[in-house]
Amino acid sequence: MTTSVVHALTVAARRAAHPRTRTAGPADGTDTASPCRACGRDETVLADRSDGVVVRHGPAVAKAHAPATDPAGHRARIAVAAHPLLTGILLPPLPAATPYVAGRPVTAWPYGTPVDPDRPDDAPWEAAATLLARLHAVPPAALAPPAVPPMRGPLKAAQALARMRAAGPHPATAAVERAWAGLPAWARGEAPAPAGGLLCHGDLHLGQLVRHPVPDGPWLLIDVDDLGLGDPAWDLARPAAWYAAGLLAPDEWQRFLGAYRAAGGPAVPADGDPWPRLDVPARALTVQTAALAVAKSAEQDRELDEVEGTMIESCARIATLPTQLTAGPAS
């Protein structure tokens, strides 16, 4: 994180929070004195990662996206988030007075109450599944223009493998590479996805849900950086991978899957075995998670923790199993 990025995000968050108040900062954006003259609040840095820096100011947050973000794809994804057909599914953006900082696109959003990691029994699995089903049901043709870009899930998996390889030798690398080699080329981001495809979130986990309005409004999906057209089974893949690895309890998986089916989600059949549809995406998310674990272990010169070790074991196991291939994504 750099001072210039935080400065720009502070300006953007203050102006989003106080769109009609000149005291949020002068036109040149140089006044970020703390506390804010409009409301007396300070800012909070909510995230500080290479793929996103997020600053909160009261009811608004501002995000600097990854430096390599594709401008056209980014604009299309933000337009989708603002589209009336996505009302009640995706958190809509706010006007952003600071469109770029250090070559990184900046967006502004309402602040929402996130999932509480200290209350796992209250995890909103049903809400997440229902939102996904509703997202997958939105007709992509109704959103154009601009054209919706491909979902970035396979690309993110490939980026995780690249990070693992760049981190240097590690005892667990071989197991991850074997599981990766068993995936079809489209799931590795090396070939176009099969024909068809629906509107997908692309990176679904519980950190991608917030309640808005705060504190206890309805759950909405956030973070559209990976949103696009693709196989909707990818959005179910992370919970499926956790369940297969023993990290998600069977009753929680059934709550999630049951809610998705009850809402008419098209990624899996309405009844019967869902795994022929989920197998490839779940394997890809297992490998992605394991590759990031290995990379962090090597970069930080530390041992794998218990959860990370479980994902490596899953890679070793799935590398020995035949892949359940299907004709292609739901469409």
Side-chain angles (χ1 to χ4, degrees):
M1 179 174 63
T2 65
T3 301
S4 63
V5 171
V6 173
H7 180 280
L9 293 183
T10 296
V11 172
R14 288 188 179 188
R15 288 180 174 170
H18 311 294
R20 298 179 181 85
T21 305
R22 295 293 299 170
T23 54
D28 65 1
T30 58
D31 182 8
T32 55
S34 184
C36 172
R37 288 179 293 166
C39 67
R41 294 188 180 99
D42 291 323
E43 283 68 46
T44 303
V45 177
L46 300 181
D48 179 12
R49 302 186 306 271
S50 60
D51 62 343
V53 181
V54 181
V55 172
R56 176 190 178 187
H57 182 80
V61 299
K63 177 178 181 177
H65 298 257
T69 298
D70 170 58
H74 172 76
R75 288 192 296 270
R77 292 179 171 101
I78 299 304
V80 169
H83 198 285
L85 286 177
L86 278 299
T87 300
I89 302 173
L90 296 176
L91 184 72
L94 298 171
T98 308
Y100 280 88
V101 57
R104 305 170 67 164
V106 173
T107 53
W109 307 84
Y111 175 75
T113 306
V115 175
D116 187 346
D118 296 327
R119 300 178 63 180
D121 292 342
D122 296 336
W125 290 113
E126 291 90 346
T130 301
L131 287 169
L132 286 181
R134 294 176 58 197
L135 178 70
H136 297 163
V138 173
L143 301 174
V148 182
M151 179 262 295
R152 295 181 70 252
L155 176 60
K156 289 197 71 171
Q159 290 173 340
L161 265 290
R163 179 175 171 180
M164 180 187 74
R165 292 162 180 163
H170 191 282
T173 298
V176 179
E177 292 282 8
R178 284 194 297 271
W180 181 248
L183 293 170
W186 73 265
R188 299 194 304 264
E190 297 172 0
L198 300 176
L199 188 62
C200 303
H201 182 274
D203 187 31
L204 190 279
H205 53 79
L206 291 179
Q208 306 287 35
L209 286 94
V210 297
R211 287 188 179 277
H212 185 266
V214 296
D216 53 6
W219 290 105
L220 296 172
L221 294 169
I222 62 170
D223 191 354
V224 296
D225 287 4
D226 302 303
L227 180 143
L229 299 184
D231 184 350
W234 201 279
D235 283 345
L236 281 64
R238 186 175 271 108
W242 291 345
Y243 167 65
L247 298 175
L248 183 65
D251 67 312
E252 292 177 311
W253 167 246
Q254 290 302 326
R255 284 167 49 199
F256 176 79
L257 180 63
Y260 183 82
R261 283 173 154 168
V268 295
D271 51 35
D273 184 5
W275 284 99
R277 291 288 305 117
L278 296 176
D279 184 53
V280 168
R283 289 179 186 236
L285 264 294
T286 298
V287 177
Q288 175 181 322
T289 304
L292 290 175
V294 172
K296 292 174 183 178
S297 173
E299 292 163 357
Q300 300 167 11
D301 192 23
R302 61 167 176 80
E303 297 295 323
L304 295 166
D305 63 29
E306 183 177 357
V307 171
E308 292 169 336
T310 297
M311 299 309 292
I312 304 303
E313 292 169 3
S314 292
C315 283
R317 183 173 65 255
I318 65 177
T320 68
L321 300 175
T323 305
Q324 300 185 52
L325 294 174
T326 60
S331 59

